[in-house]
Amino acid sequence: MVERLFMVKKASIHKYIQVIPIIGFVFFLVLVLYGYQHGIFQSTDSLQKFFQQFGQFAVIMFILFQVIQVIIPILPGGISSLAGMLMFGNGFGLLYSCIGLVIGEAIGFLLVRYYGVSFVQLILSPKKYQKFDQLLTRRTKDIKKVLIVTLLLPFAPDDLICLVAGLTKLTFREYMQIVILLKPWSVGIYSMIMLFLFHKAQGSL
């Protein structure tokens, strides 16, 4: 009797664990829609104003945004990191971006490993999913090398490769070692390029 109750409770907890990410995803989707409707994601200026209204919690909100940005691509790569550097300074902006993006890559990997291809179909557009499917078909055997090379190259589709990694035999520990070591490099390079282009554009106005 006790064992049966324990099994029932375990099954209930398992169901809750399955539902929580879905609720979180819906919540963040609502936030994204709100952001688009109010023009928050139109430019770095509007994004900065959005975060600044949170005062002392701006850093936390920015890191959370970067986490979401990995799982649900809201802005083109580098825009949010550029906004972070303009708000918090180059060093701290890059640090906060890296924290959020690394956490996002970890969550994305685990969600794909748990929910499989159905989760990927949920978060990617048909065009991006087609690219993902091609990568999954061709690159699963040497995923470790592909992940390293992709993270070393700025503006490479590393988020897609990270999703592909979740469906391979690559362990979470190996995956995180690669991401923690190389993600700051790729974020730093493309963020500095974006910052240079931003200042150049500002100077030409």
Side-chain angles (χ1 to χ4, degrees):
M1 183 69 178
V2 175
E3 188 177 345
R4 187 179 176 183
L5 285 170
F6 176 75
M7 292 299 292
V8 170
K9 284 184 178 180
K10 189 176 179 181
S12 298
I13 291 169
H14 186 68
K15 285 181 182 179
Y16 284 127
I17 290 171
Q18 285 182 313
V19 170
I20 286 170
I22 297 170
I23 294 171
F25 177 78
V26 172
F27 174 73
F28 288 134
L29 189 60
V30 170
L31 284 179
V32 170
L33 292 173
Y34 173 85
Y36 276 116
Q37 286 178 351
H38 290 78
I40 293 169
F41 308 129
Q42 286 182 350
S43 66
T44 53
D45 287 336
S46 59
L47 196 61
Q48 285 181 76
K49 288 176 184 176
F50 171 72
F51 286 118
Q52 284 168 355
Q53 70 182 340
F54 293 103
Q56 60 182 345
F57 298 106
V59 172
I60 296 171
M61 293 303 297
F62 177 74
I63 291 173
L64 286 174
F65 181 82
Q66 290 294 71
V67 172
I68 301 165
Q69 173 77 0
V70 175
I71 303 167
I72 310 170
I74 302 167
L75 294 170
I79 297 295
S80 55
S81 295
L82 172 61
M85 292 168 73
L86 293 173
M87 279 189 295
F88 308 113
N90 293 356
F92 283 111
L94 282 174
L95 175 63
Y96 301 147
S97 286
C98 287
I99 291 171
L101 293 171
V102 168
I103 293 171
E105 300 287 15
I107 293 172
F109 179 93
L110 292 172
L111 286 172
V112 172
R113 179 144 294 184
Y114 192 83
Y115 291 103
V117 176
S118 57
F119 175 77
V120 181
Q121 289 176 317
L122 185 67
I123 63 172
L124 294 183
S125 63
K127 188 178 179 180
K128 279 197 172 183
Y129 179 76
Q130 187 178 6
K131 192 181 289 186
F132 166 84
D133 192 50
Q134 291 171 352
L135 289 168
L136 183 63
T137 305
R138 299 173 187 172
R139 304 292 187 182
T140 51
K141 290 182 181 179
D142 53 351
I143 188 63
K144 201 170 179 179
K145 291 179 182 177
V146 174
L147 182 61
I148 291 169
V149 171
T150 307
L151 285 169
L152 283 171
L153 298 174
F155 300 102
D158 58 316
D159 290 344
L160 280 180
I161 297 296
C162 288
L163 292 176
V164 170
L167 294 172
T168 67
K169 292 181 180 179
L170 186 69
T171 67
F172 181 67
R173 184 176 179 178
E174 286 179 308
Y175 169 78
M176 286 307 300
Q177 285 174 343
I178 295 169
V179 170
I180 290 170
L181 182 64
L182 298 179
K183 188 69 177 180
W185 160 266
S186 61
V187 173
I189 294 295
Y190 71 61
S191 295
M192 293 306 294
I193 292 172
M194 292 293 293
L195 185 65
F196 171 77
L197 294 174
F198 176 80
H199 286 312
K200 192 172 183 180
Q202 290 290 99
S204 64
L205 292 177

